[in-house]
Amino acid sequence: MGSLNFSGNWYFDCGIIGFLSVIDDVFGEEEVNNILDTAKIHEKNNTLQFDDRTNYIFFQSYWGSYLKSEVAKLRKKELINKVDSELKKITNPTFFGNFDREMDNFIKELTKLNNSIIINNKKSKHPLHKNMSPFYVNFAFFNNPDPIKDSKEYFFNYHTYESKGKGTVRLIERALNKFLPSYTEFANEFFDEPLRIREIENTLNLPLHIFLMCVEKGFVNFKRFKENIFVYAPSLEISWKIHKKLKILAQQASKEEKDTTIFSLTTDQIIDSLYEEKSEWVLRNLLIITHSGIDKKTQAIQKVKFLPFDKNTAKLLSNEKIRKYTIRNIKIQRGNDKEVVYGIDGLIYKKPLTPKIIDYLLSQNLEEKKNLERILDDSQQFLYWATIDLLNQYKLTYASYNKAMYELLFKEFLGRLVFLKNIFSDPNNIIFSKKEAKSNLYFILREGKNLDKFSFINYLLKFIWDKRTKQELLIEEKKFMKLLKLIREIAESDVFVPYLVPITLGLLSQYKNSKF
Amino acid sequence: MEKKLLSPKEFSRVLTEEIKNQKLFGLDRSVFKLLNIAKTDDYEEMIWQMYRLLAVLDSKNEEIYSTLNDIQDNPEEIKKYFYSMIISIMLAASQGVKNG
C-alpha cells in the first residue's frame, strides 16, 4: 500500500487537487478523507494504482459532475433536478465489484439520461462528448470519430492504463500540458523524445494519467473575474484545505466590491489558512497560478500569472501582528461605487496603501464622534499599512536583503511612525493647538499627498519653529530633538507620503479631544 | 586618495557639533529666512548660504567642502543638504537651550 502525495510538479499536483475536488463534488468530504487517510492505492508492477473502488468512485464523480455542470449551463431547474436524482441512483459509493462491468453499466445509464435531455435543441451524441472544455480536446476519449463506440474503449484504455491501444496519451508535451512546447513543432526543445507518462509514473509511484484528466478541476473558477486560481503549497493537505476555502469563497464573492482583483480577494484567505499551519516555509514555497481560460481555437491558456511569495514577505507574514493587520481591508465609498483596499496588496503586490488610507479618511464624516472613535481604534492597522509602504519604497541593498533585515527594518519604520503619531496626539505635547488641529488636519488630508516632500517639510518646520519662537510649543526637549532628527530622515529619504498617516492620526485624536 | 563624502545626516551632525562648539546658538534667528530660501528653486543661493555658514563657523572640515563641491550640480541633493543644515541649526539651538 502506498499513500497519496504531491509529485513536486505543480501541473500534476494541480491534477491531484482536481482529482480530490471531483470526488468531493459528488461524494463529499468524507470520501476525500477516506482516500487521503487510507490511501487506497495498491502496488502493481512497481506502480501505485488506485484500487477498483477508488477508480469507480472517481469515474462516477468525474462524469457525473461533468454532466451536471453541462446541464447547469442550461439553467433549467427541472433538468438539473432530474440529472441529480438519476445520478444519485447510479453513483453508489458502496460498490466493490468489477470495474470494467460497472463502468459499462454507468456509461449505458448516462447515455440513457443524456438522450432524455435536450441540449441546445439537439440531442447530444454522447454523454462524454458535448460542449467539452478545450482543455480536454487532446484526450482521445473526447476526440474521436465514433463517439459512442470509441469513447468508451478509449476512455477505458486511458483510465486503466492496461493497454497501449487507442486512447492512451503517452508523451509529456503540449498535448497534455499547455505550458510545455509541442514536440512536433519544437522537437529541438526536447533533445530526445519527451518524457512518457509511464516513465514518470514508475518513478513517482503515482497514477498520473488520472490526475492529468483533472488539472482543470484543480483550479477554482471565480466567475466574476473570469479567472481561475490554483494555490500550490508544498503539502497536499494544505493545498487541499486552501482549495476548499477558495471554492466556498468563489460562491460567496460579492458583486458589490468593485476594483477588487482575484488576488486581493483570495490572498487573505490563503494567508489565514497557512497561518494556521504556523509554518513560514509553506509561505516561502507558495506558488499562486491564475489563468482566464483556454482559447477554443488555439488551445492557448490565456492570461497566465505565476506569483511566488518572496522570502521576506513570508517572514513578515509569519509575525502574528503583521498578519493580523495586513489581512484587513478598508472600504472607500465613492458615490455609488465602493472600492475595497486590502492590506495584503501592499505587502505582496507592493501597491501603495497610504494614498488609499487618506482617501478613506476623507470619505468618512469626521464630524461624528462615532466615526472618529472607530478610525482611532483602527490606528494600529493604518500605522502598519504605512510601514509596509515605507518598507516597499526603501531601497534595500543586496546585502541587507540577504541578511533578511526586513523584519528589523519593519520594526524600525513602525517605531518612527508610532513616535510621530504619539507626539502629535499626546495632550502633553502641544505642537498643534486644539484650534489648529482641525484646519491642519483637513489641509494635510486634502493637500498632503499632492505636496512634494520638501514643501511638506518646509510647512512642518515653519509651523514648529514659529511656535517655538513664540514659546507656544510645549514639548520635552528630548522629544523635540528626536522629532527634528526624524524630519531630517524624511528629508533625506525618497519617501514621505506614509509619514502623513501618523501625523493625520495624531491630529484626529487632538481634534476628537477638542470637539467631544 | 579619494575624499570621503558625507551623507546629509553626517553633514548635519558635523554642522551641529561645530555650531555647539562655537556656541553660535544665535544662528537660529536665520531659520525663517533659510526656510523661505528653501521654498524657492534658487539653488545657487542655497549653496551660497551653506558656504556662508561654513565661513561663519570657520570650519576646517574638508569632507564638508568636498561634499558641497560634489552636490553642486544636483538640485535634489542641494535641497536635502540645505534642509539638513537648517535642522542642524535648530538642533544646535535646542541643545544649547537644554544645556542652559
Side-chain angles (χ1 to χ4, degrees):
Chain A
M1 295 288 274
S3 61
L4 190 55
N5 281 314
F6 268 170
S7 68
N9 174 295
W10 79 262
Y11 194 77
F12 294 137
D13 294 345
C14 181
I16 296 181
I17 295 295
F19 165 77
L20 296 176
S21 186
V22 292
I23 289 180
D24 185 44
D25 282 346
V26 175
F27 292 104
E29 184 80 21
E30 201 180 325
E31 196 56 55
V32 171
N33 289 337
N34 197 18
I35 288 172
L36 281 174
D37 295 343
T38 57
K40 290 188 180 304
I41 301 171
H42 65 251
E43 282 190 43
K44 193 174 181 183
N45 304 329
N46 286 330
T47 304
L48 291 173
Q49 293 186 331
F50 288 120
D51 62 16
D52 276 356
R53 183 176 175 275
T54 309
N55 263 332
Y56 188 64
I57 282 177
F58 168 66
F59 182 72
Q60 289 169 313
S61 313
Y62 193 80
W63 298 117
S65 63
Y66 180 78
L67 190 67
K68 255 170 100 172
S69 67
E70 284 301 305
V71 174
K73 282 180 200 162
L74 300 174
R75 296 170 189 224
K76 288 186 179 169
K77 209 177 173 186
E78 67 277 18
L79 280 182
I80 296 171
N81 290 342
K82 188 174 179 185
V83 171
D84 267 349
S85 65
E86 289 294 325
L87 281 174
K88 263 179 204 157
K89 275 188 231 162
I90 52 180
T91 51
N92 175 8
T94 54
F95 166 77
F96 284 98
N98 176 285
F99 174 57
D100 187 12
R101 192 189 66 227
E102 292 302 327
M103 191 173 82
D104 216 27
N105 287 338
F106 187 81
I107 295 231
K108 272 182 201 158
E109 292 295 328
L110 272 188
T111 312
K112 265 197 263 168
L113 178 62
N114 190 67
N115 285 337
S116 68
I117 53 177
I118 294 169
I119 298 177
N120 295 339
N121 298 321
K122 285 178 188 169
K123 278 195 176 179
S124 172
K125 288 178 184 171
H126 191 275
L128 314 184
H129 194 266
K130 183 69 193 169
N131 291 334
M132 76 189 88
S133 155
F135 182 82
Y136 299 109
V137 293
N138 288 315
F139 287 104
F141 48 83
F142 258 141
N143 192 6
N144 54 72
D146 187 349
I148 295 181
K149 187 169 162 281
D150 294 344
S151 285
K152 202 185 88 183
E153 185 195 341
Y154 285 19
F155 181 71
F156 187 77
N157 287 342
Y158 180 82
H159 194 100
T160 56
Y161 226 92
E162 290 291 330
S163 134
K164 286 184 180 172
K166 291 172 182 174
T168 50
V169 183
R170 298 190 190 93
L171 302 179
I172 306 285
E173 49 109 32
R174 188 174 157 77
L176 273 177
N177 182 342
K178 304 294 180 293
F179 294 88
L180 285 177
S182 152
Y183 176 53
T184 46
E185 287 172 31
F186 303 98
N188 287 343
E189 293 274 334
F190 292 88
F191 290 112
D192 199 347
E193 279 199 333
L195 273 174
R196 288 166 192 283
I197 293 175
R198 178 49 62 87
E199 285 163 3
I200 299 181
E201 287 195 330
N202 286 343
T203 317
L204 294 172
N205 278 355
L206 284 170
L208 289 185
H209 59 285
I210 300 286
F211 304 140
L212 283 170
M213 289 169 64
C214 305
V215 172
E216 192 189 37
K217 304 269 182 192
F219 283 85
V220 178
N221 176 252
F222 279 77
K223 281 188 185 138
R224 55 179 284 230
F225 301 114
K226 293 180 182 158
E227 278 195 90
N228 306 282
I229 185 167
F230 170 58
V231 178
Y232 186 38
S235 134
L236 172 59
E237 284 75 16
I238 297 172
S239 278
W240 172 241
K241 202 190 266 183
I242 294 173
H243 178 89
K244 287 275 286 180
K245 278 197 174 184
L246 292 183
K247 255 171 129 176
I248 296 167
L249 191 67
Q251 287 159 3
Q252 291 172 341
S254 156
K255 284 178 184 167
E256 286 171 21
E257 296 179 5
K258 293 193 173 175
D259 301 325
T260 309
T261 64
I262 190 167
F263 280 135
S264 317
L265 190 71
T266 53
T267 318
D268 54 347
Q269 290 282 337
I270 298 166
I271 303 297
D272 247 7
S273 306
L274 296 177
Y275 189 73
E276 287 165 18
E277 305 298 322
K278 301 255 177 227
S279 49
E280 187 189 320
W281 70 273
V282 176
L283 273 171
R284 280 168 60 168
N285 293 288
L286 196 73
L287 183 65
I288 299 176
I289 301 133
T290 64
H291 70 81
S292 58
I294 296 174
D295 186 287
K296 283 198 174 180
K297 283 183 187 163
T298 63
Q299 289 182 38
I301 305 182
Q302 295 175 319
K303 292 184 190 169
V304 183
K305 287 180 205 157
F306 288 84
L307 183 93
F309 278 41
D310 66 64
K311 190 170 84 177
N312 287 321
T313 306
K315 178 125 190 120
L316 287 183
L317 279 171
S318 55
N319 176 309
E320 183 168 3
K321 272 194 173 174
I322 299 175
R323 182 195 66 88
K324 182 176 139 194
Y325 292 122
T326 47
I327 63 168
R328 290 190 183 173
N329 63 53
I330 51 174
K331 295 183 178 74
I332 306 168
Q333 195 74 41
R334 288 193 177 95
N336 291 330
D337 290 344
K338 195 191 281 174
E339 183 186 0
V340 185
V341 182
Y342 294 80
I344 208 78
D345 280 351
L347 193 59
I348 297 175
Y349 315 113
K350 318 295 178 203
K351 287 186 187 170
L353 296 171
T354 313
K356 299 290 178 188
I357 298 173
I358 291 172
D359 287 349
Y360 170 74
L361 295 176
L362 271 172
S363 74
Q364 300 294 306
N365 180 357
L366 302 177
E367 303 303 314
E368 268 186 34
K369 189 180 178 189
K370 204 172 67 183
N371 278 350
L372 281 174
E373 281 172 349
R374 188 169 40 78
I375 292 166
L376 290 169
D377 282 348
D378 289 337
S379 289
Q380 280 292 91
Q381 176 190 334
F382 298 135
L383 292 178
Y384 270 73
W385 284 25
T387 309
I388 291 170
D389 273 4
L390 279 179
L391 200 63
N392 286 341
Q393 293 170 58
Y394 182 79
K395 286 179 185 128
L396 272 180
T397 61
Y398 180 71
S400 60
Y401 187 86
N402 261 2
K403 282 177 192 162
M405 295 282 283
Y406 242 45
E407 216 174 353
L408 285 176
L409 273 175
F410 192 95
K411 283 181 186 164
E412 160 70 21
F413 288 142
L414 181 66
R416 286 183 193 176
L417 299 187
V418 170
F419 169 78
L420 268 182
K421 192 224 158 201
N422 290 343
I423 209 161
F424 282 94
S425 62
D426 185 352
N428 298 320
N429 299 322
I430 298 183
I431 294 177
F432 292 100
S433 70
K434 284 177 182 172
K435 273 185 188 172
E436 289 156 348
K438 185 178 177 183
S439 58
N440 282 290
L441 171 69
Y442 280 103
F443 172 74
I444 292 176
L445 281 177
R446 290 196 182 118
E447 305 296 330
K449 60 180 180 173
N450 301 326
L451 288 174
D452 72 82
K453 176 181 74 181
F454 291 120
S455 307
F456 180 72
I457 289 172
N458 202 297
Y459 158 79
L460 207 58
L461 286 176
K462 254 187 187 164
F463 193 88
I464 293 172
W465 204 245
D466 182 47
K467 291 238 142 186
R468 190 179 169 86
T469 48
K470 290 177 186 161
Q471 297 189 330
E472 290 172 359
L473 192 71
L474 302 177
I475 180 172
E476 279 175 45
E477 210 55 44
K478 208 172 143 190
K479 283 187 181 168
F480 178 65
M481 281 162 61
K482 193 173 171 186
L483 176 64
L484 285 178
K485 284 177 186 169
L486 187 48
I487 296 174
R488 188 178 64 193
E489 291 278 348
I490 301 173
E492 194 178 347
S493 80
D494 297 325
V495 194
F496 96 100
V497 179
Y499 291 103
L500 294 175
V501 172
I503 298 174
T504 311
L505 291 171
L507 288 172
L508 269 175
S509 170
Q510 284 264 43
Y511 180 53
K512 192 197 112 196
N513 292 340
S514 68
K515 195 173 159 74
F516 304 106
Chain B
M1 207 174 84
E2 204 177 314
K3 282 176 186 164
K4 192 192 161 203
L5 300 177
L6 301 174
S7 70
K9 198 188 208 169
E10 290 164 333
F11 175 80
S12 167
R13 269 194 206 134
V14 174
L15 284 183
T16 310
E17 278 310 303
E18 294 210 4
I19 297 169
K20 268 163 53 187
N21 291 343
Q22 304 265 2
K23 294 198 169 51
L24 287 170
F25 304 124
L27 280 172
D28 66 348
R29 284 193 293 274
S30 60
V31 165
F32 285 118
K33 185 184 147 200
L34 295 172
L35 282 173
N36 282 337
I37 295 170
K39 267 178 95 173
T40 68
D41 290 333
D42 193 347
Y43 300 104
E44 276 184 21
E45 177 68 14
M46 291 178 209
I47 287 279
W48 191 84
Q49 288 291 344
M50 286 193 267
Y51 277 119
R52 187 169 164 265
L53 178 70
L54 293 180
V56 171
L57 293 171
D58 195 21
S59 176
K60 301 279 186 291
N61 190 318
E62 281 191 19
E63 287 168 352
I64 285 198
Y65 287 103
S66 312
T67 307
L68 285 186
N69 213 21
D70 192 68
I71 60 165
Q72 286 200 26
D73 298 326
N74 188 335
E76 173 79 10
E77 289 298 298
I78 293 173
K79 272 211 170 170
K80 279 185 190 173
Y81 284 86
F82 193 61
Y83 273 104
S84 287
M85 180 190 79
I86 298 171
I87 292 172
S88 309
I89 296 170
M90 293 164 95
L91 277 169
S94 299
Q95 286 180 15
V97 170
K98 197 175 147 196
N99 301 327

